[in-house]
Amino acid sequence: MLAPTSAEAAVGDPVRQVRRLLSAQLTAKVVEAGGVQLGSRTRSVNRMAQSFRYTFKRAGSIQLGRKGVVASDLDRRIRFEREDSAALLKQDVANGDPTAKSLRIQTRVHRSVGVNGKLYTTGPLYQPALPAGKTWALRGAVANGGAFTDQVINIFEPRTLKTLLSDTYAKKFIKGAGYRDSTGREHKNVMLYKGKITFADLYALSPTFRAIAGQKPEAALAPAFVWWWLWTDKDGMPTRFQSIWDTWVTGKPIQPPRAEGSALTEFLSWRRGTIRPPKSSLVARVEGPANDLPEFDDAMEAIRERDR
C-alpha cells in the first residue's frame, strides 16, 4: 500500500463513512452508466471487423439497511450507439437469435424494484407474459435489493471496501476541480483511489459478487481482472465508483472469446426514505421474460455468453 501524502492523510476514512451511512439507513439517488462488448458476437463483414457493443444507463434510488443495500428502484435502458453494432444486432434478430431479441427489447425502458428480498420489473420484456390488468412481473428472490447487475462491486460491504482500499496501486488527492457528475455539478477537492482484483479473489471476498456470479469462476476466468476507481469527498464520503472488467488474461494462448464491461455509479444525494413494492393488485408471478427469451441484463450473463 502506498504511503499517504499529508493531504491524503487528512481525508476521511471511506469505510467509516460507509458504516455511518448504513447505520443511518439512508437512501441514495444514483445514476449508473457503462457498456458491454461481446467478442463472441463480433465478426468480420467484407473483411472488416464489426464490434458487438451496447451501452446502458440506470437511474433511480438505492436504499441502505444496517447490513448493506436492502432495496432499489431503478430504470434501465440499453442502446446500440455504434452503427456496426446496430447492424449486427439487426442481423442476429433476423436470424431468430433469442439473446439478440431480448437485447433489442431492452432498448426500451424497463423499471425494476427490489425490496423485501423480491425483484419486480415492468417493461416490454415481461408485459406479454402477464395476465390482463397486471403490469409488474414478480421475478423471484433477489439479493442486495437487486441493485447490482451491471455494477459488479458493492462498496457498501464494509469488509469488501476495506480490503480493496488496503491494496490500491494508486491514490491521489485532487485539489480544486475534480470532476463533473452527470448533472453537471462540479466536485472539488476529491480523493481518488485506484485498484484491481481478480474474479477469483472478488468471489472469495464479496457476498454480492457471489450472488451475481452464481458459481465459482471457472479456471479460464478466475485470474482475469476487475479494475476499480473510487472517488470520495474530503470527508471520505463516496461520491462515485467505477469498475471495468475484462475476461482476457494476458499470456494465455487459448481462451474463450473476449468479453468486456464497465459501470460508473454516481451517488448524487442522500436522504431518508423507503422504497416500497408495487401494488399487489398489479403484480403477477412469471417464470421469465415473455416468449422464453433470456433476461440478459447483468454482467455475468454477458460473460457466460462467451461459451454460446
Side-chain angles (χ1 to χ4, degrees):
M1 188 171 179
L2 300 174
T5 65
S6 58
E8 293 164 358
V11 173
D13 179 6
V15 178
R16 185 176 302 165
Q17 288 290 1
V18 163
R19 288 191 171 124
R20 185 182 69 80
L21 290 169
L22 294 173
S23 178
Q25 301 179 68
L26 297 180
T27 294
K29 179 181 179 181
V30 299
V31 170
E32 189 169 277
V36 172
Q37 183 159 322
L38 301 176
S40 61
R41 290 177 177 269
T42 295
R43 48 194 183 267
S44 294
V45 178
N46 297 325
R47 299 183 179 180
M48 297 287 290
Q50 306 289 299
S51 296
F52 194 98
R53 176 178 172 80
Y54 58 88
T55 60
F56 66 85
K57 183 175 181 180
R58 300 175 85 201
S61 301
I62 63 170
Q63 180 184 336
L64 303 184
R66 295 191 183 278
K67 295 184 178 181
V69 180
V70 296
S72 67
D73 185 345
L74 296 161
D75 289 341
R76 183 178 186 270
R77 182 180 185 182
I78 71 171
R79 294 181 183 274
F80 285 81
E81 298 175 339
R82 291 174 56 118
E83 185 176 339
D84 57 346
S85 298
L88 291 180
L89 176 70
K90 184 177 180 180
Q91 186 179 90
D92 288 348
V93 169
N95 290 334
D97 184 273
T99 296
K101 290 181 178 180
S102 176
L103 288 171
R104 183 180 64 174
I105 294 171
Q106 291 179 63
T107 60
R108 298 158 65 186
V109 175
H110 288 71
R111 179 184 173 193
S112 292
V113 173
V115 63
N116 300 327
K118 297 178 180 179
L119 181 64
Y120 308 84
T121 298
T122 183
L125 192 60
Y126 296 89
Q127 187 60 51
L130 294 172
K134 307 294 185 179
T135 56
W136 286 87
L138 172 57
R139 297 169 58 184
V142 70
N144 305 294
F148 297 90
T149 55
D150 302 293
Q151 179 60 267
V152 298
I153 295 180
N154 178 3
I155 65 167
F156 297 106
E157 294 172 344
R159 178 173 172 267
T160 297
L161 180 58
K162 184 177 181 180
T163 301
L164 293 177
L165 292 174
S166 72
D167 191 26
T168 57
Y169 64 77
K171 60 181 181 178
K172 179 181 181 181
F173 180 75
I174 304 172
K175 186 175 181 180
Y179 69 89
R180 290 189 182 274
D181 64 29
S182 57
T183 70
R185 179 168 53 127
E186 186 175 50
H187 293 254
K188 298 181 178 180
N189 301 320
V190 301
M191 187 70 185
L192 171 60
Y193 303 85
K194 302 178 183 181
K196 63 181 180 179
I197 186 170
T198 65
F199 277 85
D201 288 342
L202 184 59
Y203 184 88
L205 173 65
S206 169
T208 295
F209 187 68
R210 289 196 292 273
I212 297 170
Q215 61 185 22
K216 189 175 181 179
E218 72 271 19
L221 181 63
F225 280 107
V226 180
W227 286 264
W228 60 267
W229 293 256
L230 171 67
W231 291 260
T232 76
D233 65 15
K234 59 183 177 58
D235 297 321
M237 178 70 75
T239 55
R240 72 174 180 174
F241 182 83
Q242 183 174 23
S243 64
I244 296 179
W245 53 265
D246 187 346
T247 65
W248 192 257
V249 178
T250 302
K252 292 191 70 172
I254 301 175
Q255 302 184 50
R258 188 175 196 167
E260 304 167 77
S262 66
L264 173 63
T265 309
E266 298 179 319
F267 310 104
L268 298 176
S269 62
W270 293 92
R271 62 178 176 83
R272 296 192 180 277
T274 301
I275 294 173
R276 304 190 184 281
K279 292 182 179 180
S280 59
S281 61
L282 300 176
V283 174
R285 178 66 184 254
V286 298
E287 296 302 319
N291 303 313
D292 295 321
L293 296 180
E295 295 175 343
F296 212 85
D297 59 357
D298 67 52
M300 292 310 299
E301 287 177 293
I303 290 171
R304 286 191 287 269
E305 172 75 3
R306 297 177 307 154
D307 300 321
R308 76 182 184 99

